[in-house]
Amino acid sequence: MSRVSIGALLAMLMATSAFALSAEIDTDGDGMASLAEIQAFYPEVTEELFGEMDTDGDGYVNDEEFLTAVGAELIPDPETDS
Ligand SMILES: [Ca+2]
Ligand SMILES: [Ca+2]
């Protein structure tokens, strides 16, 4: 990977807030996943589990919180979910 393409990638990451959260989950495209959006994709997610995912407690799961939750295996990776 060249330095140019990494720079372009970083610029893209900064330009878009919805990177980890796919449009399949973040259906209204605001870059955050609400409880309803999470439950539409992961019906097994309870309000309690959502609270664990929402580590800053603002009522939404952002990219970082989503990645952390996937990494901690609170929820399955949407890319590999079978
Ligand atoms: Ca949303
Ligand atoms: Ca949050």
Side-chain angles (χ1 to χ4, degrees):
M1 214 186 274
S2 75
R3 204 175 288 182
V4 173
S5 68
I6 292 173
L9 197 72
L10 283 177
M12 217 172 71
L13 284 178
M14 286 188 284
T16 173
S17 59
F19 173 62
L21 283 169
S22 74
E24 285 177 85
I25 299 173
D26 179 24
T27 46
D28 66 4
D30 66 355
M32 318 267 268
S34 65
L35 176 61
E37 285 174 336
I38 289 284
Q39 285 181 332
F41 196 82
Y42 295 109
E44 72 274 24
V45 170
T46 61
E47 209 167 322
E48 193 185 346
L49 180 55
F50 184 84
E52 283 182 47
M53 294 168 64
D54 179 21
T55 50
D56 67 2
D58 67 354
Y60 293 92
V61 169
N62 61 26
D63 282 357
E64 196 185 326
E65 289 167 343
F66 183 78
L67 279 180
T68 302
V70 171
E73 298 184 344
L74 291 175
I75 52 170
D77 186 334
E79 301 297 325
T80 58
D81 193 21
S82 55

